[in-house]
Amino acid sequence: MIDFANLNIYSVVGAGLTTLFFALLLLVALKGKNITLWHALAIGAVAGFSASIAQSYTQLVDWIILGITGINTAAMLFVIGMIAMAVVMIFNLVTTRGRTMVR
Amino acid sequence: MTMMAVILICAAPALVSIIDDNHSASIETPIDGLIPLDEGYKVYLGFRVSPDEPEDKTVSVVNEDGTYIVAMDNPATAPTVTYYTFDGFKKSALSDVTKIVLTIDSDKVKSIRFIYGNTWKTFTNVVDANGNSTNTWIFEPSSVDKARIQSDVGFIGIRVLFAVGDAPASLIMEYDTYGTTSIAYGEIIIGATGVLLLICAFLATPWVGLSGYTGPVRKRRR
Protein backbone atom coordinates (compact mmCIF):
# COMPACT_ATOMS: atom_id res chain seq x y z
CA MET A 1 0.00 0.00 0.00
CA ILE A 2 1.23 3.48 -0.81
CA ASP A 3 2.06 5.18 2.45
CA PHE A 4 0.51 8.65 2.19
CA ALA A 5 2.00 9.71 5.54
CA ASN A 6 5.47 9.41 4.01
CA LEU A 7 4.58 10.88 0.64
CA ASN A 8 7.36 12.98 -0.88
CA ILE A 9 8.81 13.83 -4.29
CA TYR A 10 10.67 10.50 -4.46
CA SER A 11 7.53 8.43 -3.86
CA VAL A 12 5.71 10.45 -6.54
CA VAL A 13 8.57 9.86 -9.01
CA GLY A 14 8.68 6.15 -8.05
CA ALA A 15 4.94 5.73 -8.56
CA GLY A 16 5.17 7.71 -11.83
CA LEU A 17 7.98 5.56 -13.20
CA THR A 18 6.10 2.36 -12.33
CA THR A 19 2.92 3.70 -13.95
CA LEU A 20 4.85 4.76 -17.08
CA PHE A 21 6.35 1.30 -17.38
CA PHE A 22 2.99 -0.44 -17.06
CA ALA A 23 1.47 2.03 -19.57
CA LEU A 24 4.21 1.17 -22.08
CA LEU A 25 3.53 -2.52 -21.61
CA LEU A 26 -0.17 -1.90 -22.27
CA LEU A 27 0.77 0.01 -25.42
CA VAL A 28 2.67 -3.05 -26.60
CA ALA A 29 -0.57 -5.02 -26.36
CA LEU A 30 -2.35 -2.34 -28.44
CA LYS A 31 0.27 -2.23 -31.19
CA GLY A 32 -0.82 -0.77 -34.47
CA LYS A 33 -4.08 0.62 -33.13
CA ASN A 34 -4.94 4.30 -33.22
CA ILE A 35 -4.76 5.71 -29.71
CA THR A 36 -7.39 8.34 -28.91
CA LEU A 37 -7.62 10.51 -25.80
CA TRP A 38 -10.05 8.02 -24.24
CA HIS A 39 -7.63 5.16 -24.91
CA ALA A 40 -4.85 7.19 -23.26
CA LEU A 41 -7.00 7.89 -20.20
CA ALA A 42 -7.97 4.23 -19.89
CA ILE A 43 -4.36 3.11 -20.30
CA GLY A 44 -3.24 5.61 -17.64
CA ALA A 45 -5.92 4.44 -15.21
CA VAL A 46 -5.16 0.73 -15.71
CA ALA A 47 -1.41 1.38 -15.48
CA GLY A 48 -1.83 3.36 -12.25
CA PHE A 49 -4.02 0.65 -10.78
CA SER A 50 -1.47 -2.03 -11.78
CA ALA A 51 1.32 0.02 -10.20
CA SER A 52 -0.70 0.30 -6.98
CA ILE A 53 -1.28 -3.48 -6.91
CA ALA A 54 2.42 -4.12 -7.61
CA GLN A 55 3.34 -1.82 -4.71
CA SER A 56 0.90 -3.54 -2.33
CA TYR A 57 2.18 -7.02 -3.00
CA THR A 58 5.84 -6.49 -3.90
CA GLN A 59 6.95 -3.09 -2.51
CA LEU A 60 8.06 -2.26 -6.07
CA VAL A 61 7.76 1.52 -5.59
CA ASP A 62 9.81 1.29 -2.36
CA TRP A 63 12.66 -0.37 -4.27
CA ILE A 64 12.45 2.33 -6.96
CA ILE A 65 12.55 5.05 -4.29
CA LEU A 66 15.68 3.41 -2.86
CA GLY A 67 17.18 3.48 -6.35
CA ILE A 68 16.34 7.05 -7.33
CA THR A 69 17.54 8.41 -4.01
CA GLY A 70 20.85 6.67 -4.70
CA ILE A 71 21.22 5.14 -1.26
CA ASN A 72 21.30 1.52 -2.43
CA THR A 73 23.44 0.26 -5.31
CA ALA A 74 21.31 -2.80 -6.14
CA ALA A 75 18.15 -0.70 -6.29
CA MET A 76 19.98 1.85 -8.45
CA LEU A 77 20.87 -0.89 -10.95
CA PHE A 78 17.22 -1.97 -10.97
CA VAL A 79 16.02 1.57 -11.68
CA ILE A 80 18.66 2.12 -14.39
CA GLY A 81 17.58 -1.14 -16.06
CA MET A 82 13.93 -0.15 -15.85
CA ILE A 83 14.58 3.32 -17.29
CA ALA A 84 16.76 1.83 -20.05
CA MET A 85 13.98 -0.57 -21.03
CA ALA A 86 11.42 2.25 -21.03
CA VAL A 87 13.68 4.51 -23.11
CA VAL A 88 14.29 1.79 -25.70
CA MET A 89 10.54 1.09 -25.93
CA ILE A 90 9.74 4.79 -26.43
CA PHE A 91 12.58 5.11 -28.98
CA ASN A 92 11.29 2.13 -30.97
CA LEU A 93 7.75 3.49 -30.76
CA VAL A 94 8.80 6.86 -32.16
CA THR A 95 11.15 5.61 -34.89
CA THR A 96 8.68 3.02 -36.20
CA ARG A 97 5.71 5.42 -35.86
CA GLY A 98 3.88 3.19 -33.42
CA ARG A 99 4.38 -0.12 -35.26
CA THR A 100 7.02 -1.70 -33.01
CA MET A 101 8.04 -1.18 -29.40
CA VAL A 102 10.17 -4.22 -28.71
CA ARG A 103 11.73 -6.83 -30.90
CA MET B 1 11.38 -9.31 -24.64
CA THR B 2 8.30 -7.58 -23.28
CA MET B 3 7.24 -10.65 -21.35
CA MET B 4 10.78 -10.93 -20.00
CA ALA B 5 10.61 -7.31 -18.81
CA VAL B 6 7.22 -7.83 -17.17
CA ILE B 7 8.41 -10.96 -15.42
CA LEU B 8 11.59 -9.27 -14.23
CA ILE B 9 9.96 -6.03 -13.04
CA CYS B 10 7.17 -7.70 -11.10
CA ALA B 11 8.68 -11.04 -10.17
CA ALA B 12 11.94 -9.87 -8.60
CA PRO B 13 10.40 -7.69 -5.84
CA ALA B 14 7.64 -10.31 -5.40
CA LEU B 15 10.25 -13.03 -4.92
CA VAL B 16 12.03 -10.89 -2.33
CA SER B 17 8.73 -10.31 -0.48
CA ILE B 18 7.93 -14.03 -0.44
CA ILE B 19 11.40 -14.89 0.85
CA ASP B 20 11.05 -12.13 3.48
CA ASP B 21 7.76 -13.58 4.74
CA ASN B 22 9.01 -17.17 4.87
CA HIS B 23 12.37 -16.16 6.30
CA SER B 24 11.05 -14.08 9.21
CA ALA B 25 8.25 -16.54 10.01
CA SER B 26 10.67 -19.43 10.36
CA ILE B 27 13.07 -17.68 12.75
CA GLU B 28 12.29 -17.75 16.43
CA THR B 29 15.85 -17.49 17.70
CA PRO B 30 16.52 -14.61 20.07
CA ILE B 31 19.69 -12.75 19.17
CA ASP B 32 22.10 -13.15 22.03
CA GLY B 33 24.36 -10.29 22.87
CA LEU B 34 22.51 -7.85 20.66
CA ILE B 35 22.31 -4.52 22.38
CA PRO B 36 19.04 -3.08 21.16
CA LEU B 37 19.81 0.48 22.03
CA ASP B 38 23.16 2.19 21.80
CA GLU B 39 25.02 3.18 24.95
CA GLY B 40 24.21 6.79 24.26
CA TYR B 41 20.51 6.22 23.72
CA LYS B 42 17.95 8.66 25.03
CA VAL B 43 14.23 8.71 25.66
CA TYR B 44 12.16 11.83 25.22
CA LEU B 45 8.54 12.85 25.31
CA GLY B 46 6.27 14.45 22.77
CA PHE B 47 3.51 16.88 23.75
CA ARG B 48 0.39 18.09 22.08
CA VAL B 49 0.86 21.53 20.63
CA SER B 50 -0.47 23.92 23.23
CA PRO B 51 0.62 27.10 24.95
CA ASP B 52 0.75 25.33 28.32
CA GLU B 53 3.55 22.93 27.32
CA PRO B 54 5.38 21.99 30.52
CA GLU B 55 8.89 23.18 31.20
CA ASP B 56 10.06 19.92 32.77
CA LYS B 57 10.02 17.41 29.92
CA THR B 58 12.75 15.14 31.22
CA VAL B 59 12.48 11.43 32.01
CA SER B 60 14.52 8.96 34.04
CA VAL B 61 15.34 5.63 32.36
CA VAL B 62 16.54 2.33 33.79
CA ASN B 63 17.57 -0.55 31.52
CA GLU B 64 17.36 -4.04 33.02
CA ASP B 65 18.46 -6.58 30.39
CA GLY B 66 16.33 -5.18 27.60
CA THR B 67 13.48 -3.97 29.77
CA TYR B 68 13.30 -0.19 29.77
CA ILE B 69 11.61 1.49 32.70
CA VAL B 70 10.86 5.11 31.93
CA ALA B 71 9.38 7.57 34.41
CA MET B 72 8.53 11.22 33.87
CA ASP B 73 10.40 13.48 36.22
CA ASN B 74 7.25 15.57 36.50
CA PRO B 75 4.27 13.12 36.46
CA ALA B 76 1.82 16.03 36.37
CA THR B 77 2.74 16.54 32.68
CA ALA B 78 1.37 13.09 31.71
CA PRO B 79 -2.05 14.34 30.47
CA THR B 80 -0.36 16.46 27.79
CA VAL B 81 2.05 13.75 26.58
CA THR B 82 1.33 12.15 23.20
CA TYR B 83 4.35 9.91 22.72
CA TYR B 84 7.51 8.38 24.14
CA THR B 85 10.43 8.17 21.72
CA PHE B 86 13.36 5.76 22.19
CA ASP B 87 16.23 7.14 20.13
CA GLY B 88 19.61 5.54 19.56
CA PHE B 89 19.56 2.27 17.64
CA LYS B 90 22.76 0.93 16.17
CA LYS B 91 22.55 0.33 12.44
CA SER B 92 24.90 -2.63 12.65
CA ALA B 93 22.82 -4.26 15.39
CA LEU B 94 19.76 -4.18 13.16
CA SER B 95 21.31 -5.79 10.06
CA ASP B 96 20.43 -9.36 11.09
CA VAL B 97 17.15 -8.61 12.86
CA THR B 98 14.06 -10.26 11.37
CA LYS B 99 11.58 -9.42 14.12
CA ILE B 100 11.30 -6.90 16.96
CA VAL B 101 8.85 -7.71 19.73
CA LEU B 102 7.76 -5.06 22.24
CA THR B 103 5.68 -5.69 25.33
CA ILE B 104 4.40 -2.54 26.98
CA ASP B 105 2.62 -2.38 30.32
CA SER B 106 -0.21 -0.22 29.03
CA ASP B 107 -3.35 -1.10 27.12
CA LYS B 108 -3.82 2.54 26.10
CA VAL B 109 -1.14 2.48 23.41
CA LYS B 110 -2.59 3.89 20.20
CA SER B 111 0.18 2.75 17.87
CA ILE B 112 3.92 2.16 17.77
CA ARG B 113 6.20 3.30 15.00
CA PHE B 114 9.64 2.13 13.96
CA ILE B 115 11.26 5.27 12.60
CA TYR B 116 14.31 5.47 10.34
CA GLY B 117 15.39 8.61 8.53
CA ASN B 118 12.23 10.40 7.45
CA THR B 119 10.20 7.19 7.14
CA TRP B 120 8.25 5.19 9.65
CA LYS B 121 6.62 1.76 9.70
CA THR B 122 3.92 0.65 12.10
CA PHE B 123 4.19 -2.20 14.61
CA THR B 124 1.39 -4.77 14.44
CA ASN B 125 -0.59 -5.48 17.59
CA VAL B 126 -0.76 -9.16 18.55
CA VAL B 127 -4.25 -10.49 19.30
CA ASP B 128 -5.02 -13.43 21.57
CA ALA B 129 -7.07 -16.53 20.70
CA ASN B 130 -10.31 -14.62 21.36
CA GLY B 131 -9.33 -11.80 19.02
CA ASN B 132 -8.64 -9.32 21.84
CA SER B 133 -5.64 -7.05 21.52
CA THR B 134 -2.70 -7.69 23.82
CA ASN B 135 0.12 -5.47 25.03
CA THR B 136 2.55 -7.13 22.60
CA TRP B 137 3.55 -5.47 19.35
CA ILE B 138 5.60 -6.87 16.48
CA PHE B 139 7.57 -5.35 13.65
CA GLU B 140 9.21 -7.48 10.94
CA PRO B 141 11.53 -5.35 8.78
CA SER B 142 11.43 -6.25 5.08
CA SER B 143 14.46 -6.34 2.78
CA VAL B 144 13.56 -2.79 1.68
CA ASP B 145 13.56 -1.63 5.30
CA LYS B 146 16.91 -3.30 6.01
CA ALA B 147 18.51 -1.89 2.86
CA ARG B 148 17.27 1.56 3.77
CA ILE B 149 18.35 1.32 7.40
CA GLN B 150 21.86 0.22 6.40
CA SER B 151 22.20 2.83 3.64
CA ASP B 152 20.42 5.80 5.12
CA VAL B 153 21.79 7.97 7.86
CA GLY B 154 20.04 9.69 10.65
CA PHE B 155 17.53 8.92 13.32
CA ILE B 156 16.59 5.30 14.08
CA GLY B 157 14.16 4.78 16.92
CA ILE B 158 10.84 3.60 18.30
CA ARG B 159 7.92 5.90 19.06
CA VAL B 160 5.09 4.77 21.34
CA LEU B 161 2.02 6.91 20.70
CA PHE B 162 -0.95 7.61 22.97
CA ALA B 163 -4.14 9.61 22.61
CA VAL B 164 -4.03 12.88 24.55
CA GLY B 165 -4.74 12.10 28.19
CA ASP B 166 -3.97 8.36 27.90
CA ALA B 167 -0.19 8.44 28.36
CA PRO B 168 1.00 6.97 31.66
CA ALA B 169 3.50 8.82 33.86
CA SER B 170 5.76 5.77 33.72
CA LEU B 171 6.23 3.13 31.08
CA ILE B 172 7.80 -0.33 31.13
CA MET B 173 8.86 -1.60 27.71
CA GLU B 174 10.24 -5.10 27.27
CA TYR B 175 12.31 -5.37 24.12
CA ASP B 176 13.19 -8.61 22.28
CA THR B 177 14.84 -9.08 18.91
CA TYR B 178 14.87 -12.22 16.79
CA GLY B 179 17.02 -12.97 13.80
CA THR B 180 19.93 -14.74 12.27
CA THR B 181 22.94 -14.00 10.14
CA SER B 182 21.78 -13.94 6.55
CA ILE B 183 22.98 -12.79 3.16
CA ALA B 184 21.38 -9.72 1.63
CA TYR B 185 19.29 -11.83 -0.76
CA GLY B 186 16.92 -8.94 -1.47
CA GLU B 187 19.66 -6.70 -2.79
CA ILE B 188 21.25 -9.56 -4.77
CA ILE B 189 17.95 -10.41 -6.52
CA ILE B 190 17.08 -6.78 -7.23
CA GLY B 191 20.61 -5.92 -8.45
CA ALA B 192 20.78 -9.00 -10.72
CA THR B 193 17.36 -8.12 -12.12
CA GLY B 194 18.61 -4.63 -12.91
CA VAL B 195 21.52 -6.09 -14.89
CA LEU B 196 19.13 -8.44 -16.75
CA LEU B 197 16.86 -5.50 -17.57
CA LEU B 198 19.84 -3.62 -19.01
CA ILE B 199 20.65 -6.65 -21.19
CA CYS B 200 16.97 -6.84 -22.26
CA ALA B 201 17.01 -3.15 -23.16
CA PHE B 202 20.21 -3.63 -25.16
CA LEU B 203 18.73 -6.57 -27.07
CA ALA B 204 15.51 -4.62 -27.72
CA THR B 205 17.34 -1.93 -29.67
CA PRO B 206 17.15 -2.16 -33.49
CA TRP B 207 20.94 -2.46 -33.82
CA VAL B 208 21.31 -5.73 -31.95
CA GLY B 209 19.99 -9.05 -33.25
CA LEU B 210 20.80 -12.11 -35.31
CA SER B 211 19.29 -10.59 -38.46
CA GLY B 212 21.22 -7.35 -38.18
CA TYR B 213 19.64 -3.90 -38.12
CA THR B 214 15.86 -4.16 -37.80
CA GLY B 215 14.92 -0.50 -37.56
CA PRO B 216 13.20 1.61 -40.20
CA VAL B 217 15.16 2.08 -43.47
CA ARG B 218 15.16 5.35 -45.34
CA LYS B 219 14.36 4.99 -49.01
CA ARG B 220 16.66 6.84 -51.40
CA ARG B 221 15.09 9.08 -53.97
CA ARG B 222 16.39 8.83 -57.51
Side-chain angles (χ1 to χ4, degrees):
Chain A
M1 188 177 284
I2 293 172
D3 189 353
F4 288 102
N6 293 322
L7 201 65
N8 55 27
I9 186 69
Y10 298 114
S11 46
V12 172
V13 173
L17 183 59
T18 313
T19 305
L20 170 72
F21 200 84
F22 280 111
L24 286 171
L25 296 175
L26 284 168
L27 277 176
V28 173
L30 294 170
K31 60 185 172 186
K33 293 198 173 65
N34 288 328
I35 305 295
T36 64
L37 177 67
W38 296 110
H39 282 102
L41 282 172
I43 289 168
V46 172
F49 189 61
S50 305
S52 171
I53 293 171
Q55 164 63 8
S56 286
Y57 288 100
T58 69
Q59 293 189 298
L60 176 59
V61 177
D62 285 340
W63 280 113
I64 293 172
I65 292 169
L66 271 180
I68 56 180
T69 49
I71 57 176
N72 187 274
T73 312
M76 269 174 73
L77 267 175
F78 184 77
V79 170
I80 290 168
M82 207 171 160
I83 290 172
M85 195 70 203
V87 167
V88 169
M89 286 163 92
I90 292 168
F91 175 80
N92 287 341
L93 189 73
V94 171
T95 54
T96 61
R97 294 179 184 174
R99 284 197 305 278
T100 309
M101 284 184 80
V102 284
R103 292 156 216 280
Chain B
M1 202 62 70
T2 313
M3 281 307 295
M4 185 76 172
V6 174
I7 290 166
L8 288 174
I9 293 285
C10 294
L15 180 64
V16 174
S17 291
I18 291 166
I19 296 173
D20 275 348
D21 291 343
N22 292 334
H23 192 59
S24 56
S26 64
I27 294 165
E28 289 295 334
T29 314
I31 294 180
D32 294 328
L34 176 72
I35 302 164
L37 290 170
D38 197 2
E39 288 293 315
Y41 76 92
K42 56 188 175 188
V43 180
Y44 54 86
L45 305 172
F47 297 87
R48 68 176 174 188
V49 179
S50 71
D52 54 354
E53 191 171 309
E55 287 181 11
D56 188 0
K57 305 172 189 174
T58 55
V59 291
S60 303
V61 190
V62 178
N63 176 14
E64 292 179 354
D65 295 331
T67 299
Y68 295 87
I69 304 160
V70 187
M72 294 179 195
D73 291 338
N74 180 9
T77 62
T80 58
V81 170
T82 53
Y83 61 78
Y84 285 79
T85 297
F86 295 77
D87 174 11
F89 280 86
K90 274 184 181 173
K91 262 196 225 177
S92 54
L94 289 165
S95 61
D96 296 330
V97 170
T98 55
K99 185 162 68 178
I100 298 172
V101 181
L102 300 180
T103 306
I104 293 174
D105 71 329
S106 171
D107 53 4
K108 296 283 180 66
V109 176
K110 192 165 75 173
S111 65
I112 302 179
R113 293 174 183 171
F114 186 85
I115 307 171
Y116 53 92
N118 55 3
T119 306
W120 51 264
K121 295 292 174 73
T122 311
F123 276 72
T124 307
N125 185 238
V126 177
V127 292
D128 61 17
N130 299 322
N132 301 318
S133 59
T134 65
N135 291 345
T136 304
W137 300 73
I138 288 178
F139 172 62
E140 293 173 338
S142 65
S143 286
V144 174
D145 296 323
K146 285 184 194 174
R148 202 159 183 175
I149 288 165
Q150 294 308 316
S151 309
D152 208 353
V153 287
F155 173 86
I156 307 174
I158 288 173
R159 181 166 292 168
V160 184
L161 292 108
F162 296 90
V164 176
D166 282 351
S170 65
L171 185 80
I172 300 173
M173 183 178 87
E174 194 182 323
Y175 179 103
D176 293 306
T177 47
Y178 297 83
T180 185
T181 305
S182 62
I183 55 168
Y185 54 85
E187 293 180 49
I188 292 169
I189 293 170
I190 293 293
T193 304
V195 173
L196 274 172
L197 275 170
L198 276 171
I199 294 168
C200 280
F202 183 64
L203 293 175
T205 58
W207 297 280
V208 181
L210 290 174
S211 52
Y213 179 73
T214 54
V217 182
R218 284 184 184 174
K219 289 177 183 173
R220 284 185 182 175
R221 287 183 181 176
R222 290 185 178 178

